[in-house]
Amino acid sequence: MPKVRQPKLDFETSVIIGKGLEAMSQGVKNWELRDCFDQLEGYLYGKEYDRVCLVFGLRRTGKTTMLRQAIGRMTKENLSRTAYIKARRNDNMAMMNRDLKKLFDAGFRYVFIDEVTLMEDFIDSAALFSDVFAAMGMKIVLSGTDSLGFWLAMDQELYDRAKPIHTTFIPYREYSRLLGIDSIDEYIRYGGTLRAGELDFDDEDVNAQDASFRDDESTRRYIDTAICRNIQHSLACYEAGGHFRHLYSLYEAGELTSAINRIIEDMNHRFLISVLTDDFRSHDLRLTAANLRKERDPEKRIDVLDRVDTEAVTRRLMELLDIRNKEEQSIGITPAHIAEIKQYLSALELIVDCPIETTEPETKPLEHILFTQPGMRYCQAQALVHVLLKDPQFSELSEYEKTRVSDRILEEVRGRMMEDIVLLETMKAADRDHRIFKLQFEVGEFDMVIYDQKENCCDIFEIKHSSTQVPLQYRHLMDEDKCRRTEKRFGTIRGRYVLYRGEDIQMENGVQYRNVESYLKELPDFEMQQSADLTPQTLGPVL
């Protein structure tokens, strides 16, 4: 008997089926998969049929690519029952409902809906996908750049009826695997998005030029489009704009986006202030000054750091930063605004709080904000440093000397950022029995402590953006008073480590030097933390 041809389906939204799906997946067939990709296929081919899958995160973190890869890996039978919908701003849930009914009646069982948060009524009507179509047996994957919209939807319409897959956080080990980059400095410069790898994996020049955080302008544009508008659009769509809370006055005045920008900048200014106050006058600077002074190569031998009044330089930079901060605060951003915006930035997984502990149990931990996108932080800090170094006080130095001072400050910024990256990624990889934190004393600190609550023991770390071993690097790790106070609260110190950019080596005093890039690559997968065999051979410390 001849095959009966199905009538042509007439859709109201932008639906792609058949050969169009095959064409969509061609360009990504040879691309590496995100670590979270297994979660997507686990949902598609699992036996659970009453939930939808949400793939969300900030722009340029691989969401649409994951959808295209999932389509490209389907069998012919499943592909024939699959549809891809690209939502548009003028679409609404009524139109989507009618198209999904047509698809279901025609035998389609896999539906990918990209940019679903563009629909204004998505957040308040999202239960349609889970309670109706997923319950009928359809596998529905929703993706969009307004990840705050998904966060709000999961708290209401999709509560307990969604499987979330987060793409914003891209750890070093995954970034390195996806883009073939083995340099922690490269990750500091551009880490946070995958834009650098979407054009040509082998062309370094193209990748650098197309990176999201290649300069201050591109970084501001990304913050504006991927973060600020994300928050503003999601709040405007949620409960007809009734969830703005204290932010409504800023939204009504058209200043919400600029306020979010200023708060992100303010956090980065405070970060730079801490770098200047803690590191610019540190032993490391004096050590660098001595090394530059006795450099064997006459062309590299300079005494600029001896002649620069570091206290005056630091004070001048601090004054400029404080003046700028005061100007920003004068336009009426209140603590309530800051608290709510920080809450939304946390929901977007842009920032994570990793409190600083002390050895005194009754002392309240200090707030310590970590950025999950290092390229954003470094680019803003870099731009700010260059602006500050144009101050008249620096004009007396030669261009060469100004460059050396600038490079030194940026080296300190990279060092502090490397600390934050190690803290964040170790914290993300740790299981429930381990706490990760920075431990601060009246003078000095341990850059990271891994506390095994079950065994009541700990490992202590110094993190150095250096490739050489110097005794001053581990002086705190060998400080008897600091170690005694640490053991009183956090149990026996099981290991002392310096994470740096050189080769692995064990010192005679028991301090172990470990390559930071190898350490980050060997961290266990976050989804496997409960079952992984985390031995000292795989990680070094007690994780």
Side-chain angles (χ1 to χ4, degrees):
M1 295 290 292
K3 292 183 179 180
V4 179
R5 298 183 65 181
Q6 288 186 348
K8 185 177 179 180
L9 297 173
D10 186 21
F11 297 110
E12 299 177 59
T13 60
S14 179
V15 179
I16 299 175
I17 57 177
K19 292 183 178 180
L21 289 179
E22 294 183 30
M24 276 185 58
S25 61
Q26 287 300 315
V28 298
K29 277 192 173 181
N30 296 324
W31 289 18
E32 293 282 346
L33 303 174
R34 287 283 319 253
D35 287 351
C36 56
F37 184 81
D38 287 344
Q39 299 177 50
L40 177 56
E41 287 199 329
Y43 166 79
L44 289 172
Y45 308 118
K47 297 181 179 179
E48 194 172 24
Y49 284 96
D50 58 348
R51 301 168 77 192
V52 297
C53 180
L54 308 180
V55 180
F56 64 95
L58 293 179
R59 286 187 177 182
R60 299 178 178 177
T61 55
K63 299 180 299 298
T64 299
T65 297
M66 284 178 61
L67 270 55
R68 294 168 62 193
Q69 288 173 322
I71 291 170
R73 289 162 58 93
M74 282 182 159
T75 64
K76 287 186 177 181
E77 181 183 354
N78 287 335
L79 191 63
S80 68
R81 300 187 297 163
T82 298
Y84 173 89
I85 303 175
K86 184 81 168 181
R88 299 164 297 194
R89 293 188 183 278
N90 57 344
D91 292 339
N92 57 53
M93 292 298 282
M95 297 162 61
M96 193 67 66
N97 179 47
R98 289 190 288 269
D99 281 352
L100 288 175
K101 282 183 178 179
K102 293 175 185 176
L103 289 168
F104 181 83
D105 292 339
F108 287 82
R109 292 297 179 266
Y110 299 94
V111 180
F112 298 84
I113 307 177
D114 202 4
E115 298 295 355
V116 68
T117 50
L118 289 179
M119 296 189 297
E120 289 188 1
D121 54 350
F122 161 72
I123 299 175
D124 294 332
S125 308
L128 169 74
F129 297 116
S130 58
D131 294 0
V132 178
F133 294 101
M136 290 164 59
M138 291 183 98
K139 293 286 188 173
I140 298 180
V141 179
L142 307 176
S143 177
T145 53
D146 282 0
S147 45
L148 180 63
F150 286 116
W151 183 74
L152 295 169
M154 282 196 299
D155 190 53
Q156 297 292 331
E157 289 280 307
L158 294 177
Y159 182 75
D160 202 32
R161 296 191 292 278
K163 174 183 176 57
I165 298 177
H166 306 267
T167 66
T168 293
F169 175 58
I170 308 173
Y172 172 78
R173 64 183 181 277
E174 185 176 5
Y175 189 86
S176 174
R177 177 178 61 80
L178 292 173
L179 302 183
I181 293 171
D182 291 319
S183 166
I184 188 67
D185 280 351
E186 191 78 0
Y187 182 68
I188 288 171
R189 287 177 62 200
Y190 300 126
T193 75
L194 298 174
R195 190 69 180 101
E198 287 181 9
L199 293 181
D200 188 338
F201 282 83
D202 300 317
D203 191 334
E204 295 181 2
D205 293 332
V206 170
N207 289 343
Q209 292 172 10
D210 202 45
S212 296
F213 309 123
R214 68 183 184 277
D215 53 36
D216 190 42
E217 181 184 352
S218 64
T219 301
R220 286 176 178 272
R221 192 184 314 118
Y222 183 86
I223 292 173
D224 183 50
T225 59
I227 299 169
C228 299
R229 294 185 187 179
N230 185 328
I231 294 175
Q232 184 160 308
H233 179 266
S234 296
L235 292 178
C237 294
Y238 182 45
E239 295 179 349
H243 197 72
F244 275 102
R245 298 185 289 172
H246 293 91
L247 302 180
Y248 184 76
S249 58
L250 292 174
Y251 174 70
E252 193 175 38
E255 296 182 1
L256 179 57
T257 293
S258 59
I260 296 168
N261 252 317
R262 284 193 298 276
I263 288 172
I264 292 174
E265 287 183 358
D266 182 62
M267 284 189 283
N268 278 328
H269 292 182
R270 293 178 187 278
F271 167 78
L272 187 59
I273 287 173
S274 69
V275 171
L276 294 172
T277 55
D278 296 345
D279 291 324
F280 195 64
R281 295 172 293 180
S282 69
H283 293 289
D284 289 340
L285 182 61
R286 289 197 288 274
L287 178 65
T288 300
N291 290 338
L292 289 174
R293 192 186 316 119
K294 61 185 181 182
E295 175 65 50
R296 291 184 178 182
D297 186 345
E299 294 183 2
K300 296 181 179 179
R301 189 185 307 140
I302 61 172
D303 61 355
V304 60
L305 294 181
D306 291 328
R307 292 186 285 109
V308 169
D309 186 341
T310 55
E311 289 190 9
V313 169
T314 303
R315 186 167 58 251
R316 182 59 182 154
L317 297 179
M318 292 280 292
E319 287 173 0
L320 289 171
L321 286 174
D322 287 340
I323 290 172
R324 192 169 178 181
N325 286 336
K326 287 176 183 177
E327 289 175 351
E328 291 170 355
Q329 294 169 3
S330 67
I331 65 168
I333 299 179
T334 67
H337 294 146
I338 295 172
E340 289 179 17
I341 289 174
K342 279 186 177 180
Q343 180 187 13
Y344 293 137
L345 293 175
S346 178
L348 292 174
E349 297 181 287
L350 176 66
I351 61 172
V352 175
D353 186 19
C354 180
I356 296 175
E357 298 278 1
T358 68
T359 54
E360 303 300 325
E362 68 277 4
T363 305
K364 185 178 179 181
L366 301 172
E367 181 185 63
H368 183 213
I369 298 293
L370 306 179
F371 270 72
T372 61
Q373 292 188 308
M376 178 188 300
R377 163 155 282 183
Y378 181 72
C379 191
Q380 285 196 330
Q382 184 181 38
L384 189 58
V385 165
H386 285 301
V387 169
L388 295 174
L389 291 179
K390 292 178 181 178
D391 184 71
Q393 183 161 331
F394 292 94
S395 61
E396 297 178 4
L397 296 174
S398 69
E399 290 300 314
Y400 179 72
E401 290 172 330
K402 284 188 283 188
T403 299
R404 294 308 294 263
V405 173
S406 174
D407 288 347
R408 179 59 197 173
I409 297 176
L410 289 174
E411 173 70 13
E412 297 291 357
V413 170
R414 286 191 291 271
R416 181 61 62 85
M417 285 186 61
M418 197 171 89
E419 290 179 24
D420 284 358
I421 288 167
V422 171
L423 265 175
L424 175 65
E425 298 200 14
T426 306
M427 186 171 66
K428 287 275 191 180
D431 60 25
R432 295 179 181 178
D433 292 332
H434 295 87
R435 284 177 54 203
I436 316 299
F437 51 87
K438 184 189 290 278
L439 185 62
Q440 214 166 59
F441 303 92
E442 295 86 354
V443 177
E445 64 186 18
F446 294 154
D447 293 333
M448 182 172 72
V449 175
I450 298 179
Y451 173 45
D452 187 334
Q453 300 175 106
K454 193 174 182 180
E455 300 294 331
N456 190 35
C457 61
C458 64
D459 289 278
I460 56 179
F461 292 78
E462 285 292 323
I463 303 167
K464 300 298 179 184
H465 190 263
S466 169
S467 57
T468 58
Q469 303 105 32
V470 181
L472 281 173
Q473 294 169 338
Y474 53 78
R475 65 189 182 281
H476 294 316
L477 300 181
M478 304 304 296
D479 187 299
E480 292 184 5
D481 179 62
K482 288 182 175 63
C483 291
R484 178 184 56 78
R485 293 164 62 187
T486 299
E487 290 189 319
K488 183 178 179 181
R489 183 174 180 191
F490 299 110
T492 304
I493 295 175
R494 189 149 63 177
R496 295 171 170 84
Y497 298 86
V498 177
L499 297 179
Y500 78 136
R501 295 183 299 145
E503 299 295 324
D504 291 359
I505 188 172
Q506 180 153 341
M507 311 299 286
E508 292 182 0
N509 58 11
V511 173
Q512 297 183 52
Y513 274 81
R514 287 217 56 194
N515 178 266
V516 66
E517 291 147 343
S518 298
Y519 171 86
L520 292 173
K521 285 184 179 181
E522 293 167 7
L523 283 173
D525 189 288
F526 189 54
E527 293 298 318
M528 299 172 62
Q529 60 180 316
Q530 298 298 332
S531 59
D533 181 18
L534 308 179
T535 64
Q537 286 71 36
T538 59
L539 257 183
V542 299
L543 270 180

